Amino acid sequence: MKKSDIKSDIKSTKKKKGAGTAAAYLWSAPSLLLICLIVVFPIFYTGYISLTNMNVYHWFTYDLIGLDNYKEALLVFDSGFLSALFLTVVWTAVNMLLQLVAAYLLASLLNTKGLKLRNCYRTLLIFPWAMPGYVSILLWKTGMFNSQFGLLNQWMEKMGFSPVKWLADDMSAFICCTIVNLWLALPFMITIIDGALQSVDRSYYESALLDGADWMQRTWYITIPAIRPIIAPSVVITIFTTFKQFDVIYLLTQQAGAKTGAHIHTILTYAYENAFITNNYGYSSAVSMIIFVILIVFSYGINMKPKEES
Amino acid sequence: MKKLTALLLSIAILTCILCGCGAQGASLTEEEKNTVVIWHDKEEAVSEALSDELKRLVPDVTVQLEYKSNLTEALKMVGNDPKAAPDMYFFAHDKIGVYAEMGILAPITDLIDKETLTASCVDMTLDAAAYKGELYQLPVYFETLLFLYNRLYMPDEKVPGTTEELYAYMEEKTRGGHYGFVEQHSTAYYSAGWIHGFGGCIMDENGNVGLSSPETVRALEYHKKFVGLMPGESEYATVNTLFQEGKAHATIGGPWLVSASRAAGMDLGIAPMPVIDETQIPISPYMGVQGVQVLKFAAENKTEAVKKVLYALMQPEVGISLARVSGCAPAVEACYENDEVASDDVVMAMREMAENTIPMPNRPEMDVMWTVAADMLVNINMSGQDVKESCAAAQKNAEELIKKMQ
């Protein structure tokens, strides 16, 4: 083959590749545009609003005011914010640990050999997912924790104990919020771990059994390493969802007109009470952008670990 | 072929997405000028009665009543967009300040003669509709809290006339899961009545925060002893269920509770608010005035149709019809000449109560005050914190947050 032929071949391959790439971008354009509109644009727009004086008094006639809102916003990050940040980290850690352990145990039980009505149990365990979170949370609040009509206090009274205000004290409110969050989050984690468990090659367990490994050893040396890469993305997603949790804690303890007396705050409920109620969108956007940066740093920290391990 | 289809579909979707970004014209056709859209968040019975009356009174204008569950937030988003915003909205007066400051409301006096308004409406309702010297609402009806009691447990002769009598009754009757009296004690809207009874306030008409005033502190110190004889939860569902299930003998609640309690078969009594012994002033709750506000675009571009609707809403028939379905007191004085209205104990109780009520402040700062005051009440009533310290901390917090609104 001549040199010129090879060159023209390379050129035509490059052309084809270029045309292919362009076509791929064109076909992805609607999705990319939607992602830009729904995800990227709001972030940039919030960033822009945070540099303006948009508030009730300058709703449609706002001006750029530089970093003034950020100077104000940093004042929100006082000792109250720091304790809210600490509680958010504790909340995330406790919830993740409980979710992983509970979901693993339930998924393992679902995978027990010879289990009858397996699909029925799966459907039941997925049930909390089918209900809107808002409804679930309020059902727990009035149906379970209410000191006058709640099921828990009816049991307490039947057993001869005096009624308890479950959501009035910080510690018991934290435990109640954790239980409700567990109820809401378990279906997702069970589904993922259940799927992951089914993908583990049975032959590993057979070899381990021949070597005399007990249940704990099989779990520690075979199951966990095998399912870790599969469940890792879900764990990361759940960590974020839990970290930026607002509805469970707000609706159970701080809903307007239904506050319970507990003072547990995540960074979002704290920012809501100390910034968002002001109707000052410039200022609230600055607070949001700072929280966004905190989340990005947190995300970077979490993503670092698997890389180091790999 | 497949590629071509994919290409065409991609272009079609892209075009559809970008179409939404197109500019929208503002010129109106005759039909559009004669169509008035009213947003509201009222129950079906109220909106149906309103719709029927308007159809009868202004048959030449097409009035569309649209239910909006999150009306106040939706208005903030689209208030200055004529294509998305309504022409009017039917809501309580307490958000007038927010929308007036945003610049989306037209003064109602641009469309209705002020003298006509003053002559026909209850004075208090016009006070509520005013913000910075301008009237922004056509009041239609008003509501306030009432002292309600269950005659099965609290006979008429036992109804407390003073707060000390009420306390004695609570001490006697609160036991074994039964309560002498319940209210939403840690909600600002409900506690305001006690605060006003001592001459205090959450925020005065000039926008001054009154949380740490000596009168407010004294009111909350006094109120705290009543809270000790009420259930821990102070939210709407618990308090109302206790009353409706006969576990609480008396309560302070709105007119919405009256129809539900009577429908449940309760022999319900309505009494004047107990007088506070120390000040000789009755518990004086907030009053909310429900009415119509007009958006600027509609006032400028649909003037005639909007005027017709407003004048129709001032007809006594509308107030009478709404009083029948809502149990609220009409804002138009002439409605009280109607026998049906005059013989309605709930409506008349509210009309009489109007003398001892305070219109909810309609300043934008109230958005902050509801949350701060509720936090303060929770700290005092539910977390057992010191009244004076909690009030001082809440005052400081409120002033800081109000500063941040600017």
Side-chain angles (χ1 to χ4, degrees), chain A residues 26 146-147 259 263 279-280, chain B residues 7 233 238 367 375 379 404:
Chain A
L26 181 65
N146 188 290
S147 68
K259 289 176 186 270
H263 293 85
N279 270 335
N280 186 333
Chain B
L7 192 71
E233 269 102 352
T238 305
D367 278 1
D375 280 344
N379 287 341
K404 283 175 186 166

Side-chain angles (χ1 to χ4, degrees), chain B residues 251-269:
Chain B
T251 189
I252 287 178
W256 48 87
L257 194 55
V258 174
S259 49
S261 304
R262 284 185 172 157
M266 185 188 293
D267 184 6
L268 185 82

Side-chain angles (χ1 to χ4, degrees), chain A residues 140-151:
Chain A
W140 273 89
K141 186 175 183 178
T142 46
M144 297 296 282
F145 302 133
N146 188 290
S147 68
Q148 301 295 315
F149 313 106
L151 192 62

Side-chain angles (χ1 to χ4, degrees), chain A residues 142-209:
Chain A
T142 46
M144 297 296 282
F145 302 133
N146 188 290
S147 68
Q148 301 295 315
F149 313 106
L151 192 62
L152 290 181
N153 271 358
Q154 287 186 24
W155 287 342
M156 295 286 281
E157 275 180 45
K158 286 259 172 352
M159 289 187 289
F161 297 108
S162 50
V164 176
K165 291 175 189 169
W166 300 99
L167 296 170
D169 167 57
D170 286 3
M171 180 51 87
S172 71
F174 184 87
I175 294 168
C176 293
C177 289
T178 306
I179 291 167
V180 176
N181 195 45
L182 207 58
W183 154 271
L184 290 169
L186 269 181
F188 175 69
M189 207 47 95
I190 291 172
T191 310
I192 299 294
I193 296 180
D194 185 30
L197 285 176
Q198 285 170 34
S199 71
V200 182
D201 194 337
R202 297 285 118 191
S203 61
Y204 293 144
Y205 294 111
E206 284 157 14
S207 312
L209 277 172

Side-chain angles (χ1 to χ4, degrees), chain A residues 81-97:
Chain A
F81 181 83
L82 289 178
S83 56
L85 183 62
F86 174 72
L87 189 109
T88 311
V89 173
V90 174
W91 163 259
T92 310
V94 169
N95 274 280
M96 275 321 299
L97 185 72

Side-chain angles (χ1 to χ4, degrees), chain A residues 10 14 42 48 76 127 163 169 172 175 180 212 231 267 272 294 306:
Chain A
I10 293 171
K14 271 187 180 173
Y48 164 67
V76 168
F127 183 69
D169 167 57
S172 71
I175 294 168
V180 176
I231 65 166
I267 50 172
Y272 175 79
I294 293 173

